[in-house]
Amino acid sequence: MACTRMIRILAAVPFLASFISVGVAANSPDKISYNRDIRPILSDNCFFCHGPDKNKRKAKLRLDVREEAIAKEAFVPGKPNESELIRRIFATEPDDIMPPAESHKSLTPAQKQLFRRWIAQGAEYQKHWAYVPPEKPAVPASQNGIDFLVQKRLKEIGFKPSPEADRRTLARRLSFDLVGLPPKPEEVAAFEKDKSPDAYGKLVEKLLASPHYGERMAIGWLDVARFADTIGYHSDNPRNVWPYRDYVIRSFNENKRFNQFTREQLAGDLLSGSGQEQKVGSAFNRLLLTTEEGGAQPKDYEARMLTDRVRAVSSVWFGQTIGCAQCHDHKFDPITSRDFYSLGAFFADIKEPNIGRREEGMLVPDQQQASKLARLDDEIVRAQQDHDAPRPELYAKWEQAAIEAIAAETNWTWLAPAKMVSEAGVKLTADKDQIISTEKEPKDGKDTYRITVKAKLKEVVGFRLEALSAEKLPGNGPGRAVDGNFVLTEFGVEDTNTNKLALSEATATFETDEFPASSVLGSDTGASNGWAIRGVTGVEQAIYFATKHSISNDGETQLTFVIRQSSGSNQVLGRFRLAATTNPNAVRALKSVSPRSDIADILNLPKDQRSEGQVQKLAAYQRSAAPELMDHRRRLAEAKKAKTEFETTVARCLVSVAADEPRTVRILPRGDFLNETGEIMQAALPAYLTSPSGKVEGRKLNRLDLAEWIVSRENPLTARVFVNRLWKAFFGTGLAKILDDFGMQGEPPVNPELLDWLACEFMDSGWDVKHMVRLIVNSHTYKQVSTASKKLQTRDPSNRELARQSRWRIEAELVRDNALSVAGLLVPNIGGPSVKPYQPDGYWENLNFPPRTYEADKSESQYRRGLYVWWQRSFLHPSMVAFDAPSREECAAERNRSNIPQQALVLLNDPTYVEAARGFATRILKEGGDDAASRIEWAWRQALARAPRADEMNTVRGLLDRHLAEYQRDPQAAETLSKVGLMPAPKDIDSVELAAWTNVARVILNLHETITRS
């Protein structure tokens, strides 16, 4: 039988969860639960080769599907002794035992007995707990659902809840949890004295109403959203995304419902009536890693961006490791590669380059800036209307002149360049019509072109330089200045011996008194001299030169045209052409230059055969060319310039913009972006979570459809995933410990009823985040002491059963915030661009393309909250790294929490903390009283909201005396310490005393208790 050839080789997969219940169930007469007791063992030991991945499946045996396992006689329900599974796991022969020895896995005796009992009970399967919609357990109306379900569980396992913590602990706990800042000692004292029954509730509401609540809540979301100021790959250059951080803070402060929060981030640009708020929310889709590396392969990064977005959505909203299905079907969960790529297809419509610099982003003005932009727009509209007003007499005059210029073209011969040189090294190219174009602006904004031609030029009496417009040039050219202007400083013609041909006259189709055509023949080559066309840019212009004597050579003549442009600011020609004439009557400029070919073609048509569009095109060209409208064009240009300049002061943000045609998405076999044989995928919801009816008739699914499904009750994951992360924020560990893996390799919740109750309550509340936070922090479960008896510590060392509160070191950002707050240096402004605190010199020395030097802020930005610190993905700020902040190159659902010596060194030596200690010391000396004991007690209350114990007082007093003595012996060291940081030391405090107290403050800020949420 096939079942006798069960897999002998299992890859080693780390066991991600421990199950106390296995041992309990093995010795219990109760019914064995597949989800609780059996599935974890199968997932860890068997599914790698007998699970969902058909490419790795051995012996065609699936143990994750009951019907297939029974068909293969892996087990016989009710008859363990007739089941091949039992025979194999109890076997002693190396060739028969399962799991095989080479898998480095084995089952315990208790686990083997579990299988025997489970099969004897009928071998019933259950759908994985996370894929079943949550059902709300019944809770007495008078009780907090959290407390009821926690205490119900505690009673079942013989535990009792702990008593409520003291008021000081609760005040600090709430403050760190809800706003991320330490409470003021006077606030703690007031709370301790308030004996009213609603004192705690009032404190909760005060903190929930604080604008700092949004900042505190944003930290976790920015981790999962992988928010950073830089692109990540290769050069790791900056990008404009900080308004998204403000959006997140604002959303939490305003208690935006989580379903709307989700819609805006995944599809804000697709929402009906989408405005600035929704579009900025859609920046979530643009927070992925990108590259500007010139040698990168577009298809490679197209695939990377797709997989990044799939991993992000699956981590943030699904709590799933869908990324494992990029190369093959998932080995443990029923997630296929089709699910992976069809989910990625939702994001194929986002308009963006695969490689290269991102666009500057959408303008994100504040209310005042938006009002000014509206005024500037009104001014542009008025100036445009004035400029566009019909002027039939001018139009008729221009049309006649243009037609004459077209007819006069027969007098001119275009000159073909034989050699083109730019002294600034700019590449020059010529097309079939002998039009010369420049590739880019010269490095210093100035250039001289030397154009050599070889032609039969006998009897030539004049030359012409046409300055030609082009859409690719600034202001449509012809020059490369921002407004399309250029300044021709000098024009000369040289023979093969560099002898200059004498030119007798220069005239132009347009010239001003300040920049006349004749000036290019003079000896003044200064920056303010030459021929320019400012006021009539964006259309063709020309300058004509008459020779003093006609050229008499019979054969081919070589001439070099020297075109000097010394004015700077990129006022150089971007597109031009040279021509020659033998007609003495053609060497003076006409009233108009021959217009570009598309305009000339329309002018050559009889007037009654011109379409309305052609008529409008002629009128627009005429308005651009008419010298009489210079003032109108100037006013319009100034209005546009004023807006452009003001826009440079307005924030920008990358946002999602839907392309007309989405990119093609294929299944990539083994994740190989070079293999295009895979099936083309359309956007579709994950098949393992939806019914076939999850489609929209008559159109393809889009990102908004995905967002709507994600926050629908049909999706069993989103509410559970979010409240589990929320639980972790307030208790230190999620109910399901692995926050981003609700799959079979994750750990099931220790209290599944509680998780489901929270998920249902969240949805029933209308996805109200503050409601859930309020429920949690008002529960007795939250208010318990965090201390534990030896018995409780032994039985539940990780506090999974919640018989007490937990304590942990606060996050990296809050360590900074706490120090600055206690020191009195914190600038509590909400929102704004990222800030750059002090950082070691040379830390960025390996950042290239381009090389960069870190410039620490020299303003109040130096004292902003840690949330706003510049997030350089490849070189995250060292202080943030030391305290386990993630690089955010990937979604980070949970941060590591380490306790290492480097952290103490950061708190003692980072200039931010040294300066904070000096600020704290200044406060101690000015506000703490007149003697050392009073000052130490005052400092303790500021930092810890309690008085020091006697042993603490003695230790710190000894420290103070020792440092006072040291600095009295070495006052220069005290002076040096006082100069750390931007904030000047107070002149009214002795530097020796200040230095000694600074060291006391350093110690207090370094205390474990100072940076611990208890």
Side-chain angles (χ1 to χ4, degrees):
M1 292 185 296
C3 63
T4 62
R5 300 190 301 274
M6 288 174 64
I7 177 60
R8 304 186 186 282
I9 301 175
L10 272 161
V13 179
F15 191 30
L16 299 181
S18 60
F19 295 90
I20 298 173
S21 57
V22 169
V24 175
N27 298 296
S28 168
D30 295 339
K31 186 173 179 63
I32 304 300
S33 165
Y34 176 75
N35 271 346
R36 183 191 65 204
D37 305 318
I38 301 300
R39 189 197 298 274
I41 305 172
L42 288 173
S43 180
D44 186 51
N45 294 280
C46 309
F47 284 174
F48 187 86
C49 298
H50 298 297
D53 185 1
K54 62 179 181 296
N55 295 320
K56 289 289 185 180
R57 196 175 300 140
K58 305 298 183 180
K60 298 182 180 180
L61 171 63
R62 289 191 71 167
L63 292 178
D64 62 316
V65 178
R66 184 174 190 268
E67 293 73 17
E68 295 195 26
I70 291 175
K72 290 288 188 179
E73 299 181 12
F75 53 79
V76 180
K79 301 177 180 179
N81 292 334
E82 297 179 20
S83 300
E84 183 69 13
L85 180 68
I86 296 300
R87 188 181 76 80
R88 288 303 191 94
I89 66 175
F90 280 94
T92 56
E93 290 295 325
D95 289 343
D96 292 335
I97 193 170
M98 285 292 159
E102 56 266 36
S103 72
H104 305 290
K105 292 181 177 292
S106 61
L107 302 184
T108 67
Q111 290 173 327
K112 293 176 183 179
Q113 290 300 327
L114 266 179
F115 276 112
R116 182 181 291 280
R117 289 177 51 215
W118 173 64
I119 294 172
Q121 292 177 3
E124 292 296 331
Y125 275 48
Q126 295 168 302
K127 192 171 182 179
H128 182 56
W129 66 270
Y131 304 151
V132 178
E135 294 183 4
K136 198 171 189 178
V139 171
S142 61
Q143 294 194 35
N144 181 298
I146 294 170
D147 290 335
F148 175 78
L149 293 168
V150 168
Q151 291 170 22
K152 176 185 175 185
R153 169 69 179 166
L154 293 178
K155 188 175 181 180
E156 290 171 354
I157 60 176
F159 284 11
K160 290 182 180 180
S162 295
E164 185 173 304
D166 61 77
R167 287 288 182 95
R168 173 236 172 213
T169 299
L170 289 177
R172 283 177 59 81
R173 182 184 296 170
L174 278 173
S175 194
F176 278 124
D177 284 354
L178 295 183
V179 297
L181 294 168
K184 305 296 182 187
E186 55 270 22
E187 295 171 341
V188 177
F191 178 53
E192 288 177 321
K193 292 177 183 177
D194 189 348
K195 304 303 180 183
S196 61
D198 63 344
Y200 181 87
K202 287 189 297 186
L203 179 58
V204 168
E205 294 307 314
K206 176 186 174 183
L207 294 172
L208 286 176
S210 167
H212 299 303
Y213 164 79
E215 293 178 314
R216 176 68 185 93
M217 297 293 288
I219 292 174
W221 188 263
L222 296 178
D223 279 355
V224 294
R226 72 260 195 258
F227 172 87
D229 290 290
T230 60
I231 62 174
Y233 287 130
H234 192 240
S235 56
D236 198 19
N237 277 321
R239 60 186 180 181
N240 293 326
V241 291
W242 68 257
Y244 172 81
R245 177 178 55 214
D246 284 7
Y247 160 85
V248 173
I249 295 169
R250 188 167 56 249
S251 295
F252 280 114
N253 275 334
E254 295 174 355
N255 199 25
K256 183 175 289 182
R257 297 304 190 256
F258 186 74
N259 52 355
Q260 182 65 12
F261 189 52
T262 296
R263 292 186 195 103
E264 290 176 356
Q265 292 185 82
L266 293 177
D269 57 313
L270 303 181
L271 288 168
S272 176
S274 174
Q276 177 174 298
E277 175 83 352
Q278 292 71 37
K279 288 183 171 66
V280 171
S282 76
F284 173 87
N285 297 319
R286 305 297 304 279
L287 297 177
L288 72 177
L289 277 73
T290 60
T291 188
E292 297 174 9
E293 183 183 359
Q297 297 192 49
K299 283 291 183 183
D300 179 13
Y301 282 86
E302 181 179 326
R304 291 183 190 220
M305 291 191 291
L306 179 143
T307 58
D308 185 305
R309 289 182 172 125
V310 172
R311 290 195 302 271
V313 171
S314 64
S315 294
V316 175
W317 284 280
F318 298 169
Q320 297 279 278
T321 55
I322 293 180
C324 294
Q326 176 182 350
C327 302
H328 50 71
D329 291 347
H330 204 289
K331 297 188 182 303
F332 304 101
D333 292 303
I335 304 167
T336 64
S337 285
R338 293 181 64 84
D339 289 324
F340 180 92
Y341 287 100
S342 61
L343 186 58
F346 278 106
F347 302 94
D349 69 324
I350 294 175
K351 191 181 295 184
E352 64 191 340
N354 291 336
I355 56 175
R357 184 168 176 78
R358 308 294 101 170
E359 72 275 19
E360 290 301 303
M362 181 186 84
L363 286 170
V364 187
D366 59 28
Q367 191 171 359
Q368 187 175 0
Q369 289 172 326
S371 297
K372 184 166 183 178
L373 282 171
R375 290 197 302 273
L376 292 171
D377 282 333
D378 288 342
E379 291 172 11
I380 291 172
V381 168
R382 288 195 297 271
Q384 189 75 57
Q385 290 172 341
D386 183 39
H387 175 266
D388 293 349
R391 296 176 176 85
E393 70 288 352
L394 291 182
Y395 176 80
K397 179 181 173 183
W398 167 80
E399 182 171 354
Q400 181 61 38
I403 290 172
E404 290 174 0
I406 293 170
E409 274 300 293
T410 57
N411 295 315
W412 292 90
T413 300
W414 298 336
L415 299 178
K419 183 180 180 182
M420 299 173 289
V421 176
S422 154
E423 289 187 359
V426 174
K427 183 179 179 181
L428 304 176
T429 58
D431 65 14
K432 60 182 178 59
D433 293 325
Q434 319 311 332
I435 295 173
I436 301 168
S437 298
T438 61
E439 182 182 49
K440 60 182 180 181
E441 292 80 13
K443 191 172 183 180
D444 64 354
K446 305 175 184 179
D447 205 350
T448 297
Y449 306 147
R450 301 181 69 85
I451 312 299
T452 300
V453 301
K454 294 179 180 179
K456 292 182 179 180
L457 297 173
K458 187 175 182 181
E459 307 301 332
V460 164
V461 294
F463 301 104
R464 182 182 70 189
L465 184 152
E466 291 176 275
L468 305 173
S469 65
E471 288 184 1
K472 67 179 181 179
L473 294 172
N476 291 332
R480 283 195 168 274
V482 291
D483 60 354
N485 188 46
F486 64 87
V487 179
L488 178 60
T489 309
E490 182 183 11
F491 182 89
V493 186
E494 298 175 351
D495 62 18
T496 53
N497 297 316
T498 68
N499 297 315
K500 285 189 176 183
L501 270 67
L503 300 175
S504 61
E505 185 182 26
T507 56
T509 52
F510 169 81
E511 51 188 311
T512 66
D513 292 341
E514 296 85 1
F515 291 93
S518 59
S519 63
V520 305
L521 299 181
S523 58
D524 184 358
T525 58
S528 60
N529 181 70
W531 172 59
I533 62 166
R534 180 165 284 123
V536 289
T537 57
V539 295
E540 283 61 42
Q541 299 294 345
I543 186 168
Y544 293 67
F545 301 95
T547 60
K548 214 166 202 180
H549 308 287
S550 63
I551 296 175
S552 57
N553 292 1
D554 287 326
E556 184 177 73
T557 300
Q558 175 176 308
L559 295 177
T560 297
F561 295 86
V562 181
I563 303 168
R564 192 178 308 281
Q565 301 147 106
S566 306
S567 209
S569 302
N570 295 323
Q571 295 187 105
V572 297
L573 285 160
R575 191 167 180 264
F576 61 97
R577 178 168 55 194
L578 294 165
T581 183
T582 58
N583 185 346
N585 295 320
V587 296
R588 288 187 62 82
L590 300 173
K591 296 177 181 178
S592 173
V593 70
S594 178
R596 63 178 188 257
S597 59
D598 59 327
I599 298 298
D601 290 343
I602 300 173
L603 287 170
N604 286 329
L605 290 173
K607 292 183 179 180
D608 59 357
Q609 293 182 21
R610 297 173 189 171
S611 68
E612 181 61 27
Q614 290 173 325
V615 170
Q616 294 300 324
K617 190 172 185 178
L618 284 179
Y621 189 87
Q622 176 268 331
R623 287 192 294 269
S624 298
E628 297 86 349
L629 297 182
M630 275 183 60
D631 286 343
H632 299 279
R633 283 194 294 271
R634 177 183 54 77
R635 285 194 292 272
L636 178 58
E638 287 175 351
K640 290 180 176 179
K641 182 182 179 184
K643 181 184 178 184
T644 300
E645 289 178 348
F646 181 69
E647 284 178 346
T648 63
T649 68
V650 179
R652 288 181 176 270
C653 186
L654 296 177
V655 299
S656 298
V657 178
D660 295 332
E661 284 296 323
R663 295 179 293 279
T664 299
V665 174
R666 296 177 180 273
I667 292 179
L668 300 180
R670 300 182 65 81
D672 181 4
F673 71 89
L674 296 174
N675 188 338
E676 296 189 353
T677 63
E679 179 184 354
I680 293 177
M681 301 302 297
Q682 302 296 331
L685 303 175
Y688 73 102
L689 292 174
T690 58
S691 62
S693 61
K695 297 179 180 179
V696 177
E697 293 297 329
R699 66 172 175 83
K700 296 177 180 178
L701 296 177
N702 60 29
R703 286 180 279 117
L704 185 54
D705 296 313
L706 173 64
E708 294 289 3
W709 173 79
I710 282 175
V711 291
S712 70
R713 287 185 179 266
E714 182 185 348
N715 176 8
L717 292 169
T718 299
R720 281 187 177 120
V721 168
F722 182 80
V723 297
N724 191 56
R725 281 204 302 265
L726 201 60
W727 191 267
K728 190 263 180 189
F730 292 99
F731 290 93
T733 307
L735 290 166
K737 186 175 182 180
I738 304 173
L739 302 185
D740 55 358
D741 190 0
F742 274 33
M744 297 182 191
Q745 284 290 95
E747 179 186 309
V750 291
N751 193 331
E753 279 193 311
L754 177 56
L755 181 60
D756 281 3
W757 186 87
L758 289 166
C760 292
E761 181 69 19
F762 188 33
M763 291 186 285
D764 292 345
S765 71
W767 302 86
D768 186 333
V769 177
K770 276 192 178 179
H771 170 73
M772 300 307 297
V773 172
R774 190 178 285 112
L775 268 176
I776 290 171
V777 300
N778 277 301
S779 68
H780 174 77
T781 306
Y782 175 83
K783 292 186 280 187
Q784 295 176 109
V785 297
S786 58
T787 53
S789 66
K790 287 186 178 180
K791 180 179 178 182
L792 182 57
Q793 186 72 38
T794 300
R795 291 189 61 187
D796 188 14
S798 300
N799 192 29
R800 301 305 308 285
E801 300 293 354
L802 302 164
R804 63 183 187 279
Q805 248 291 0
S806 300
R807 58 178 179 264
W808 57 84
R809 193 252 303 140
I810 55 180
E811 286 88 342
E813 295 91 334
L814 305 191
V815 173
R816 170 186 169 86
D817 299 346
N818 182 65
L820 292 176
S821 179
V822 171
L825 297 180
L826 183 69
V827 175
N829 299 343
I830 308 295
S834 296
V835 300
K836 292 180 176 177
Y838 313 118
Q839 182 173 285
D841 292 340
Y843 185 61
W844 277 13
E845 66 181 359
N846 290 317
L847 272 177
N848 287 298
F849 311 108
R852 273 152 279 176
T853 301
Y854 185 86
E855 295 290 342
D857 287 331
K858 293 180 172 58
S859 64
E860 67 174 14
S861 296
Q862 187 61 238
Y863 309 104
R864 298 287 307 283
R865 293 194 68 173
L867 171 72
Y868 303 107
V869 167
W870 180 268
W871 218 271
Q872 186 81 31
R873 276 172 159 153
S874 55
F875 290 92
L876 185 59
H877 191 279
S879 178
M880 293 293 166
V881 174
F883 287 99
D884 304 315
S887 69
R888 293 180 180 162
E889 293 169 287
E890 286 278 345
C891 297
E894 183 167 15
R895 296 186 179 190
N896 294 327
R897 192 174 286 134
S898 64
N899 185 4
I900 56 177
Q902 288 94 317
Q903 293 165 352
L905 294 174
V906 167
L907 291 175
L908 288 171
N909 299 298
D910 184 321
T912 290
Y913 297 102
V914 175
E915 185 177 29
R918 193 178 76 242
F920 190 18
T922 301
R923 292 190 65 207
I924 293 169
L925 289 168
K926 289 188 172 185
E927 304 174 44
D930 297 328
D931 59 87
S934 299
R935 289 169 175 174
I936 292 170
E937 180 171 346
W938 185 90
W940 226 261
R941 291 192 183 279
Q942 293 298 314
L944 302 173
R946 68 172 177 85
R949 299 188 306 269
D951 62 321
E952 293 170 330
M953 175 68 79
N954 293 333
T955 299
V956 174
R957 183 58 190 266
L959 177 74
L960 173 65
D961 293 342
R962 187 169 70 252
H963 280 295
L964 276 171
E966 288 175 357
Y967 287 121
Q968 285 166 351
R969 290 193 301 270
D970 186 3
Q972 185 58 46
E975 287 289 338
T976 301
L977 182 62
S978 70
K979 293 177 181 177
V980 175
L982 291 175
M983 196 70 66
K987 295 180 179 179
D988 57 345
I989 297 178
D990 177 64
S991 62
V992 167
E993 188 172 25
L994 179 61
W997 279 101
T998 296
N999 280 282
V1000 170
R1002 290 168 78 193
V1003 169
I1004 296 173
L1005 293 179
N1006 209 330
L1007 291 174
H1008 176 76
E1009 184 178 354
T1010 303
I1011 59 172
T1012 297
R1013 175 268 195 210
S1014 179

